[in-house]
Amino acid sequence: MDEKYEKVKEILKKYNQEQLLIWYDKLIEQKKEELLDQILKIDFDQIEELYQETKGKKDFKDCKVEPLSYIDKQKIPTEERERYEKEGIKLIKEGKYAVVTMAGGQGTRLGHNGPKGTFELEVGEKKPLFTLLAQTIKEARDKYDAVIPWYIMTSRENNYKTTEFFKRHNYFDMGEENVKFFIQNELPMIDTQGKILVDEKGMVKEAADGHGGIFEAMRKEGITEEMEKRGIEWIFIAGVDNVLAKMVDPLLTGIAIDKNFLAAGKSVVKNNPKEKVGVFCKKNNKPSVIEYTEITDEMAEKVDENGELLYGESHILCNLFNIKAIEEIAKNKLPYHSAFKKAKYIDKNGVIVVPTEPNAYKFESFIFDAFEKLNDMAILRVKREEEFAPVKNAEGVDSPETASKLYKEYIKNRNK
Ligand code: UTP
């Protein structure tokens, strides 16, 4: 232990991060050991690099940006549509399809105490988001008479509460062997001077590394390997907070197979040019997403000959990947983006600080940065009212109130 402590001290001195041991003496033995291990796992050169990157904004203006073509679900001729669906259904029935729900986020905007998936949405009665998602998967299992394994990505912070929730709900009667969890990676948070924060328990302050962390986490946690063994070929990946996500979609799958793509994504038309959503595009000839913070007003308002927005296909975090694409993407790290957030910490005088303004950088990678690793992908435009009801904010846009309304409306129309 002494040796380990000395080694850690030396590393911290080298990188000027000695504040990380400020609470060390107050910790119990087991926590002391944990803290040292936590520190030894940090890639300090990477943290230094990420800190330098916070100082200059990445510019995408050097890229060639063009619209990405899409297929409008409403406009596919019936015969063609049936052909795609048949292909997709065959694959699902053969047990080659799985669903992954990304539930490792902190859900700070919603402010729910506990994993976001346990948030109860009023849909006639109150139902947790996980229950609503489970219902969608179960309906598909019944419809296609197939086992559809469900994988859930959690974070170190919410893994215990998430897995306990599923245990209590008996894995929604899908069989424990068909519901698997895996924990995503984390990165330390740093202040504006590049110093890594100490959390309120005296440990390194870390945060989940973004939904783009899914590929590395699936590989590291043996999920892709397990999928391979089960014969899974196509994997639908979506967030935990879209209660209308159509996670088992033979049409999307059939299109991807038919067109020989290794990935496919769903889009909904932007409500208006200023809506705060990322949109699909091509960057340097590769599929990509431009975020609303990056797009110029001129680009956002550009229309084609039919008066449709050229950059109007919103990315709704509902994407389908072939397992080969996931394995390929997982070989390299995706870029990290920094976000300036409020983070509680212990300062150099040993005082717990609860900031009222953002004070620290969090680093996240985004799932859509992986699209650029693919040569092309299919985009299917679907109807917003049928597939997109996100729960993001506590109130206002994309809140429980709007999602609940959309969900109830959808069920009413479906049962007509
Ligand atoms: P958001 O970007 O909306 O983040 O994630 P969030 O954590 O839910 O909410 P805020 O921004 O803190 O308010 C979109 C989806 O990606 C998942 C989230 O759980 C959500 O389903 N996600 C996000 C992860 O799984 N891991 C992450 O590190 C970040």
Side-chain angles (χ1 to χ4, degrees), residues 8-166:
V8 164
K9 259 183 90 171
E10 207 178 295
I11 295 174
L12 295 181
K13 188 158 180 245
K14 176 175 168 205
Y15 288 96
N16 212 359
Q17 296 282 2
E18 286 144 304
Q19 77 288 350
L20 285 180
L21 289 178
I22 187 130
W23 213 249
Y24 182 80
D25 290 335
K26 299 195 179 67
L27 296 173
I28 57 166
E29 287 309 306
Q30 185 207 341
K31 287 282 163 194
K32 279 186 177 154
E33 179 93 31
E34 264 179 47
L35 175 62
L36 297 183
D37 289 338
Q38 232 186 342
I39 296 171
L40 286 173
K41 276 201 211 121
I42 298 175
D43 178 345
F44 287 95
D45 291 322
Q46 179 194 30
I47 299 299
E48 176 57 28
E49 228 170 81
L50 291 173
Y51 171 58
Q52 293 306 336
E53 281 174 19
T54 62
K55 295 180 188 168
K57 224 176 151 28
K58 276 187 206 146
D59 206 345
F60 86 102
K61 288 201 182 73
D62 302 336
C63 305
K64 184 171 86 175
V65 181
E66 296 163 292
L68 181 61
S69 58
Y70 62 88
I71 299 171
D72 187 339
K73 185 173 170 179
Q74 304 312 311
K75 294 187 183 152
I76 307 176
T78 313
E79 217 172 278
E80 194 179 332
R81 184 184 161 135
E82 283 171 1
R83 182 163 54 84
Y84 294 140
E85 281 175 347
K86 205 169 144 203
E87 196 147 11
I89 291 172
K90 179 169 170 280
L91 183 119
I92 296 166
K93 279 186 175 294
E94 286 169 353
K96 296 178 177 168
Y97 191 95
V99 171
V100 179
T101 296
M102 299 185 292
Q106 289 178 308
T108 39
R109 286 169 288 171
L110 183 64
H112 165 63
N113 185 14
K116 205 182 208 180
T118 64
F119 175 80
E120 294 186 338
L121 189 71
E122 195 280 310
V123 285
E125 57 187 302
K126 284 197 160 184
K127 284 192 182 172
L129 302 186
F130 278 137
T131 306
L132 295 172
L133 299 185
Q135 232 164 273
T136 304
I137 297 176
K138 280 171 76 178
E139 276 170 19
R141 282 169 58 127
D142 292 346
K143 186 167 173 187
Y144 304 117
D145 189 23
V147 173
I148 302 169
W150 188 13
Y151 296 84
I152 293 141
M153 179 166 83
T154 63
S155 63
R156 192 171 56 94
E157 204 178 338
N158 71 20
N159 183 65
Y160 179 75
K161 284 190 179 163
T162 305
T163 50
E164 282 303 301
F165 176 90
F166 274 81

Side-chain angles (χ1 to χ4, degrees), residues 102-110 116 153 184 208-211 238-241 317 341 362 364 392:
M102 299 185 292
Q106 289 178 308
T108 39
R109 286 169 288 171
L110 183 64
K116 205 182 208 180
M153 179 166 83
Q184 72 174 107
D209 67 350
H211 42 62
V240 70
D241 48 17
L317 210 59
K341 300 258 180 178
K362 175 182 176 182
E364 293 188 302
K392 296 280 180 200

Side-chain angles (χ1 to χ4, degrees), residues 211-223:
H211 42 62
I214 186 160
F215 304 102
E216 197 186 351
M218 282 177 73
R219 183 179 55 82
K220 262 198 188 161
E221 302 280 306
I223 299 297

